[in-house]
Amino acid sequence: MSQNFIAGVPWRNEKDLKTLVENRTTYTLNNCELNIFETHQQAADVNLVFGDLVLTTMLKGKKVMHLFDKPGFDYLPGESVIVPPNELMKIDFPEAQIDNPTQCIALSISKEMIENTFNLLNERFPDKMLTDEWGLDLSNFHLINTQDLSEIINRFIRIGVKERSKEKDVIASLALKELLIRLTQTQARDMLQKTYKLIASNNRLAHVVEYIKNNIREELNLDVLSQKACMSKPHFSRSFKQELGLSPMEFVLKERLTLAKNYLKMANYQIQEVCYMAGFNNITYFIRAFKSEFGMTPKVYQSNLH
């Protein structure tokens, strides 16, 4: 079980289900509304619209989502979709049944909350390197959850569903701000992975990412990377983490682990070989880091492939 999946949320008792298709439980908070949807039978062309921007996250089962009049795409656990206000979602449930239901959350966030959060970020941290200003990129709407994003969505669900205190709304609004920041960082990482080659010549972060990918087996440290960015170490570290949600060295580690995972998929390499090919120089550390990231050792991951 990858840690990028969201922890369980409460299911409705069968006798409490008002409908078997997109049965909805709603928790209303200041500036947002948390909806939990369950579907217990196959269905097609189910329409859903929200008046505010919505972050939806798939928890269980499979949907096919149609958005922006484009062909449908599979929507699976470990993924999130950002939907603009008043945008029609058309949803199919090809596999849902009583013993294999789908479950999904939809968090609608008020326009004021979004504007206030990004205005604050633009005032406080104006020197962005990847985009002109803080905000959500609605063209990049289908995301694979990062660990940070999953953690804050989990926390938000806990606040929405379980928190009973008087200060619930204050706690929720702080979590909502963090959620918006994590979303922009997830999108930035996503965008960088897709475009770093195109923009490396005129963007410092992209230049560093390209250098990391091309030299993954070399000694990569903060001195080397900040020099490549032509920035001081503190400024480089701060800017990198602010925009991408990871420190430069955490980013290098994730790149190496992803590479190792790909090598394990590609051929029947020895674990020791994969360790060095992916830029690690200590097998014990490699195994521990791999298990921490993917929930299993490289050996177990490899044996599950065959």
Side-chain angles (χ1 to χ4, degrees):
M1 176 81 165
S2 160
Q3 56 227 42
N4 298 3
F5 284 73
I6 308 298
V9 299
W11 291 90
R12 275 292 174 100
N13 266 335
E14 224 165 291
K15 60 179 187 301
D16 294 341
L17 290 173
K18 296 183 189 69
T19 166
L20 292 177
V21 177
E22 287 299 61
N23 187 81
R24 181 176 189 164
T25 311
T26 300
Y27 301 88
T28 305
L29 297 142
N30 262 358
N31 295 310
C32 66
E33 185 182 81
L34 175 64
N35 299 278
I36 302 172
F37 288 99
E38 296 172 30
T39 294
H40 295 256
Q41 69 182 31
Q42 282 185 2
D45 273 350
V46 178
N47 289 351
L48 199 54
V49 177
F50 287 87
D52 287 315
L53 179 128
V54 178
L55 170 70
T56 75
T57 298
M58 201 65 189
L59 305 182
K60 186 176 191 303
K62 171 182 160 177
K63 290 181 180 182
V64 176
M65 176 86 98
H66 305 260
L67 270 178
F68 312 115
D69 296 322
K70 290 190 170 145
F73 57 88
D74 287 354
Y75 189 17
L76 301 165
E79 300 176 358
S80 292
V81 169
I82 303 170
V83 186
N86 305 311
E87 181 66 42
L88 177 66
M89 297 177 242
K90 269 189 175 320
I91 309 163
D92 305 329
F93 301 88
E95 298 168 4
Q97 48 201 36
I98 284 289
D99 59 356
N100 182 33
T102 68
Q103 194 181 43
C104 174
I105 61 161
L107 178 64
S108 67
I109 308 171
S110 77
K111 189 167 178 249
E112 294 72 35
M113 183 61 168
I114 294 169
E115 283 175 358
N116 292 345
T117 303
F118 291 131
N119 287 344
L120 178 74
L121 287 166
N122 283 320
E123 278 166 34
R124 194 77 56 86
F125 309 111
D127 303 330
K128 275 185 70 52
M129 293 161 70
L130 268 181
T131 49
D132 294 339
E133 53 179 22
W134 290 89
L136 293 172
D137 171 11
L138 293 178
S139 64
N140 185 9
F141 57 87
H142 185 193
L143 300 169
I144 306 295
N145 295 346
T146 58
Q147 195 179 333
D148 300 337
L149 188 54
S150 295
E151 280 168 9
I152 183 62
I153 293 171
N154 269 327
R155 196 165 354 127
F156 199 88
I157 293 171
R158 273 200 306 278
I159 294 164
V161 174
K162 296 186 178 145
E163 183 72 41
R164 293 281 174 268
S165 64
K166 289 209 259 317
E167 56 278 9
K168 176 174 184 162
D169 275 320
V170 178
I171 296 168
S173 93
L174 291 170
L176 207 50
K177 283 187 166 67
E178 184 184 339
L179 178 56
L180 288 166
I181 293 169
R182 295 292 178 215
L183 263 181
T184 60
Q185 290 169 334
T186 303
Q187 286 188 321
R189 269 145 75 179
D190 210 35
M191 183 188 104
L192 204 48
Q193 291 285 7
K194 288 172 185 158
T195 61
Y196 72 92
K197 281 184 177 155
L198 296 171
I199 60 174
S201 58
N202 56 13
N203 183 287
R204 292 177 191 199
L205 277 188
H207 178 61
V208 170
V209 166
E210 184 174 55
Y211 180 80
I212 290 169
K213 286 175 181 285
N214 291 342
N215 297 277
I216 200 75
R217 294 185 198 178
E218 307 303 318
E219 168 76 23
L220 294 171
N221 56 39
L222 217 42
D223 288 323
V224 172
L225 299 180
S226 56
Q227 275 171 9
K228 287 289 161 198
C230 303
M231 293 162 83
S232 71
K233 269 200 298 194
H235 184 204
F236 170 66
S237 287
R238 203 167 46 246
S239 302
F240 196 100
K241 177 131 196 189
Q242 205 170 283
E243 299 215 23
L244 301 179
L246 291 173
S247 73
M249 296 321 293
E250 284 169 336
F251 183 87
V252 169
L253 176 61
K254 280 192 183 294
E255 284 293 307
R256 285 178 169 154
L257 289 169
T258 304
L259 191 59
K261 196 177 179 186
N262 290 339
Y263 282 136
L264 290 169
K265 277 186 200 156
M266 270 166 25
N268 211 354
Y269 289 115
Q270 297 294 318
I271 302 303
Q272 190 102 10
E273 284 178 289
V274 170
C275 166
Y276 298 123
M277 283 159 61
F280 292 91
N281 52 19
N282 178 317
I283 186 97
T284 315
Y285 173 68
F286 165 59
I287 292 168
R288 198 169 61 238
F290 192 96
K291 186 171 183 186
S292 167
E293 180 76 6
F294 301 118
M296 59 184 87
T297 63
K299 195 84 191 144
V300 172
Y301 178 77
Q302 193 176 43
S303 59
N304 285 352
L305 292 171
H306 305 299

